[in-house]
Amino acid sequence: MSTTAYGSGEPKAGLNADRRLLIDGRLVDTDRKLESINPATAQMLGYAPDADLPEAHAAIAAARRAFDANDWARDVGLRVHCLSQLHQALIDHIDELRELTIAEVGATRTLTHGPQLEGPIEIVRYYTDLLKSYSFTNNLGIKEIRGARHHRWVEAEPAGVVGAIIAYNYPNQLALAKLAPALAAGCTVILKAAPDTPLITLALGEIIAQHTDIPAGVVNVLSSSDVAVGEALTTHSDVDLITFTGSAAVGKDIMAAASSTVKRVFLELGGKSAAIMLDDADFASAAQFAAFSMVTHAGQGCALTSRLLVPREHHDEIVDLIAANFAQVRYGDPSDPKTYMGPLISARQREKVNRMVRRAVDAGAKLVTGGECVDPGFFYTPTLLTNIDPDSEIAQQEVFGPVLSVIPFDDDDDAVRIANNSIYGLAGAVFSGDHDRAVAAARRIRSGSFSINGGNYFSADSPFGGFKQSGVGREMGVAGLEEFLEHKTFATVVG
């Protein structure tokens, strides 16, 4: 396949790019504007409202009223009805959402048929179905205490007003993985879009306002470049819970800020996941997995296995296989169905990636292939590094670009030690011809998700989250719903 950057990346004619905020059931604009750039062309795509503190406070007040004053929190049937409407509305508008996701996020057309769009839409269906069968009451039975019989039970109720702050890389996934379970639980939500990708998240708000019966104030959607807006969500006493996806550094700041009002905090943060090829693995298939997964969405994925651990005696053989696979990656215009890898989100992010690669080389790493910026747009070629110190910056810090570091190990124990040598613990992978051996290694590595011989763990029904500084809590699955629930214990004396 060609590795030429095509760079057109323009949305189809007639795409409605400009969008509005959703506050208290109304679609509103602001005089201030936030530019959205097409990362495949570096050209202007459209404008989003640039909300400031008055809009943030209005959204918080609307969410508080909607939670306290209407039946949303108590009416499971209404929630099922509205989530069903939302799922159908997303399907009805999928073509428009697809083109906007490609144009603003730089996601390839193929990815929109999976985790960039169609997969997230199915999260809404999953929680709609779960809500129909989930029991919000757990009967503890009768217990005799001091001569009296006491009937006890536990009820799960919504946590309250949720501030949801998302990152730019998979905005549909991140928004719906927070919004759908929060709504299913009975919470009200203020959803803050990522400044680099505001339009696609605001489009979700417009669909909710125009095509569902979700009551005014239950969902509010903001876009803003002002850090004070995010700070308001994390510190305001009327916000009960914060859910955030982004960098570990910002996550720590949010956790600290939320402590002033003792908010519940769910954090899905960074990763520096390792893929391990044990010495009995099928090197060819494992190398293909490692290479092509690493450049998925130009490496802008927190769970991607950016460290590849290989048997020392097979190091050069595997490096050659990875390099050959990287040479086959077709990058360029994300709207072309044949493109495998699109651009990085911005010039700023590309420069960050390039600086990290240059520092790694200066520190002694070998650049096997890649390490090139390609214009127009913000493309960066698939990059393979060897001779990596496991304690170095490139092996320890999240790059968020298409950069794979190969590190040799001596035996299974050494591989596990290197994999665990990280402040993160989000995901991982292991390859072996012996299933039991692979599972045994995986169980020793402290991460929230693990792929065995290419298995796909990511789905609406499977909890996702990390150990250590990769975060707190879980998204998706039953665990994802329960992040947004509080539990209240009742007891009454019976005859």
Side-chain angles (χ1 to χ4, degrees):
M1 293 189 293
S2 170
T3 56
T4 303
Y6 297 86
S8 63
E10 292 297 336
K12 287 185 176 179
L15 176 67
N16 176 20
D18 296 344
R19 299 288 172 169
R20 293 170 289 175
L21 309 175
L22 174 60
I23 301 176
D24 202 12
R26 296 181 299 111
L27 295 171
V28 298
D29 210 340
T30 64
D31 293 333
R32 302 163 307 283
K33 298 297 180 184
L34 184 62
E35 295 180 349
S36 178
I37 304 298
N38 183 329
T41 65
Q43 301 299 309
M44 179 75 66
L45 176 63
Y47 295 94
D50 194 3
D52 60 10
L53 279 176
E55 285 86 19
H57 289 150
I60 293 169
R64 186 79 262 168
R65 285 193 303 271
F67 185 80
D68 293 339
N70 70 27
D71 291 332
W72 178 259
R74 293 168 290 280
D75 192 338
V76 175
L78 174 62
R79 303 204 299 268
V80 170
H81 166 71
C82 290
L83 284 169
S84 297
Q85 285 183 318
L86 176 56
H87 180 248
Q88 187 58 52
L90 293 169
I91 291 174
D92 292 344
H93 291 81
I94 198 167
D95 290 339
E96 179 185 5
L97 294 171
R98 191 185 314 281
E99 299 306 322
L100 186 54
T101 301
I102 293 168
E104 183 176 49
V105 184
T108 62
R109 187 168 298 279
T110 298
L111 275 180
T112 66
H113 290 280
Q116 282 285 8
L117 181 59
E118 293 186 15
I121 289 174
E122 286 308 294
I123 295 174
V124 181
R125 182 196 59 76
Y126 169 79
Y127 282 107
T128 305
D129 292 343
L130 178 63
L131 190 53
K132 296 174 185 176
S133 61
Y134 186 83
S135 177
F136 288 87
T137 301
N138 179 26
N139 185 10
L140 299 181
I142 295 174
K143 185 172 183 178
E144 186 170 324
I145 304 173
R146 292 188 296 275
R149 299 171 71 240
H150 301 260
H151 177 221
R152 302 148 309 123
W153 72 97
V154 179
E155 293 183 4
E157 59 184 48
V161 175
V162 173
I165 304 172
I166 64 172
Y168 65 79
N169 56 331
Y170 284 82
N172 296 313
Q173 165 68 33
L174 301 178
L176 292 174
K178 299 180 188 304
L179 190 60
L183 296 179
C187 296
T188 59
V189 182
I190 307 104
L191 173 64
K192 181 181 179 295
D196 285 312
T197 54
L199 301 179
I200 188 61
T201 305
L202 295 178
L204 174 62
E206 292 189 2
I207 287 173
I208 288 170
Q210 296 172 343
H211 301 284
T212 78
D213 295 325
I214 294 175
V218 169
V219 178
N220 305 270
V221 185
L222 303 177
S223 56
S224 179
S225 62
D226 189 347
V227 296
V229 169
E231 290 173 354
L233 293 178
T234 59
T235 59
H236 201 291
S237 59
D238 281 342
V239 178
D240 301 296
L241 184 153
I242 289 290
T243 173
F244 168 77
T245 298
S247 72
V250 175
K252 292 174 187 178
D253 290 342
I254 286 175
M255 179 176 276
S259 69
S260 65
T261 49
V262 197
K263 293 190 199 320
R264 291 177 60 183
V265 178
F266 165 70
L267 303 173
E268 201 277 279
L269 306 176
K272 194 66 184 179
S273 302
I276 301 172
M277 289 190 200
L278 297 179
D279 56 14
D280 61 348
D282 180 338
F283 294 152
S285 63
Q288 185 177 53
F289 175 96
F292 281 89
S293 63
M294 188 60 242
V295 299
T296 299
H297 195 37
Q300 298 169 113
C302 53
L304 297 179
T305 49
S306 55
R307 293 181 295 157
L308 178 61
L309 313 187
V310 303
R312 191 175 302 277
E313 64 271 24
H314 297 286
H315 174 276
D316 293 350
E317 172 190 354
I318 294 171
V319 167
D320 288 345
L321 289 169
I322 296 290
N325 279 294
F326 272 0
Q328 297 301 309
V329 174
R330 178 175 176 140
Y331 62 87
D333 178 4
S335 69
D336 185 341
K338 296 179 180 178
T339 297
Y340 188 84
M341 189 185 86
L344 293 169
I345 192 63
S346 65
R348 178 184 67 256
Q349 178 61 21
R350 184 171 70 172
E351 181 56 29
K352 178 214 166 190
V353 171
N354 192 49
R355 285 198 304 267
M356 289 187 73
V357 170
R358 297 303 151 196
R359 287 198 297 269
V361 172
D362 290 344
K366 178 183 177 182
L367 178 62
V368 177
T369 187
E372 299 175 355
C373 300
V374 179
D375 299 320
F378 310 125
F379 296 92
Y380 197 75
T381 54
T383 300
L384 179 61
L385 296 170
T386 62
N387 196 34
I388 302 294
D389 180 348
D391 295 321
S392 65
E393 178 194 49
I394 201 72
Q396 291 291 322
Q397 298 301 316
E398 194 170 39
V399 180
F400 235 56
V403 180
L404 182 61
S405 297
V406 179
I407 302 172
F409 64 83
D410 295 317
D411 55 28
D412 292 17
D413 289 342
D414 193 34
V416 169
R417 181 190 61 78
I418 295 171
N420 281 329
N421 177 28
S422 173
I423 62 171
Y424 300 109
L426 188 56
V430 61
F431 297 87
S432 172
D434 183 334
H435 173 78
D436 292 342
R437 181 186 179 194
V439 172
R443 284 179 173 150
R444 296 170 61 193
I445 295 168
R446 299 192 67 221
S447 67
S449 300
F450 227 87
S451 171
I452 308 294
N453 287 326
N456 186 356
Y457 52 76
F458 200 75
S459 178
D461 61 354
S462 57
F464 179 77
F467 292 11
K468 299 188 279 187
Q469 293 187 34
S470 284
V472 178
R474 294 294 182 269
E475 281 186 335
M476 302 189 295
V478 175
L481 174 67
E482 293 176 344
E483 291 288 346
F484 298 99
L485 294 173
E486 295 279 12
H487 292 86
K488 181 184 292 184
T489 302
F490 296 81
T492 183
V493 176
V494 297

